[in-house]
Amino acid sequence: MTSVAGWAAASTPGTFPPLPRAVAQAFYRRMRAVAPAARGAIDRDRTTDPEQTFTDTACGRLVGSLDDAGLRALGMWTHHWCMRFYDDDTRVGRRLVREIAARPGLGWTADEVRWMLRESISAGPAAADRFTLPRAAAAQLPPADRPLDELPPGLRPEARVPRQRHGN
């Protein structure tokens, strides 16, 4: 299992400058607000059919009950939880992260993205899905606010090229 150190990972030197303590504490406070419901939903979904439609799962119902700020907190908590306990038991959590990552317009902040990127880098390559949510969140930021240029080249998201029609 791979583990990151929570506050220590958020406040140590590395690819990104440490977050101010008040900013990191605000993130943890928001995540603690959704943690009991998230943990309960993940635990319930572990015992259900993995092929079940997401909206029919406990996690799907939880996602449907939250506003954008709640979804960001849920995404950050689930990302944090998956990075700390990344193993086969995080299948449900990784699905939840992918579902939140696919939602546009959640209003991510650059600090939230940097925090998730720092945790992802701390987790190391054993956590294969570690950049799913931070990459999606960074893509929603205005170009000037994206912290992706601070990432090592192999970790930056690829540019997406629009499909072109081939005429006759």
Side-chain angles (χ1 to χ4, degrees), residues 55-112:
T55 55
D56 293 334
T57 65
C59 288
R61 289 187 296 277
L62 176 60
V63 164
S65 72
L66 297 172
D67 63 7
D68 289 349
L71 279 175
R72 286 195 321 272
L74 176 63
M76 291 174 69
W77 180 86
T78 308
H79 172 80
H80 176 70
W81 181 77
C82 286
M83 294 304 98
R84 293 189 70 208
F85 306 108
Y86 199 95
D87 61 13
D88 292 339
D89 202 28
T90 59
R91 174 187 48 83
V92 173
R94 292 191 325 261
R95 181 181 186 188
L96 179 54
V97 164
R98 287 190 305 272
E99 290 288 337
I100 293 171
R103 294 177 183 268
L106 291 181
W108 296 98
T109 68
D111 282 340
E112 289 169 338

Side-chain angles (χ1 to χ4, degrees), residues 26-167:
F27 293 164
Y28 287 109
R29 193 171 33 259
R30 287 176 28 222
M31 289 187 294
R32 277 192 301 272
V34 297
R39 184 63 193 208
I42 287 171
D43 286 344
R44 284 189 301 281
D45 285 349
R46 282 190 182 137
T47 63
T48 63
D49 176 14
E51 301 300 317
Q52 191 173 14
T53 305
F54 181 73
T55 55
D56 293 334
T57 65
C59 288
R61 289 187 296 277
L62 176 60
V63 164
S65 72
L66 297 172
D67 63 7
D68 289 349
L71 279 175
R72 286 195 321 272
L74 176 63
M76 291 174 69
W77 180 86
T78 308
H79 172 80
H80 176 70
W81 181 77
C82 286
M83 294 304 98
R84 293 189 70 208
F85 306 108
Y86 199 95
D87 61 13
D88 292 339
D89 202 28
T90 59
R91 174 187 48 83
V92 173
R94 292 191 325 261
R95 181 181 186 188
L96 179 54
V97 164
R98 287 190 305 272
E99 290 288 337
I100 293 171
R103 294 177 183 268
L106 291 181
W108 296 98
T109 68
D111 282 340
E112 289 169 338
V113 173
R114 282 186 184 93
W115 180 85
M116 288 187 290
L117 286 168
R118 180 183 288 275
E119 289 229 331
S120 299
I121 291 166
S122 296
D129 299 324
R130 69 191 196 270
F131 291 107
T132 300
L133 189 57
R135 281 181 173 165
Q140 293 183 27
L141 293 173
D145 293 339
R146 293 182 187 159
L148 299 177
D149 290 340
E150 302 165 31
L151 282 175
L155 302 178
R156 295 180 191 152
E158 298 174 13
R160 299 203 181 222
V161 179
R163 294 175 115 194
Q164 295 182 5
R165 290 186 178 191
H166 296 284

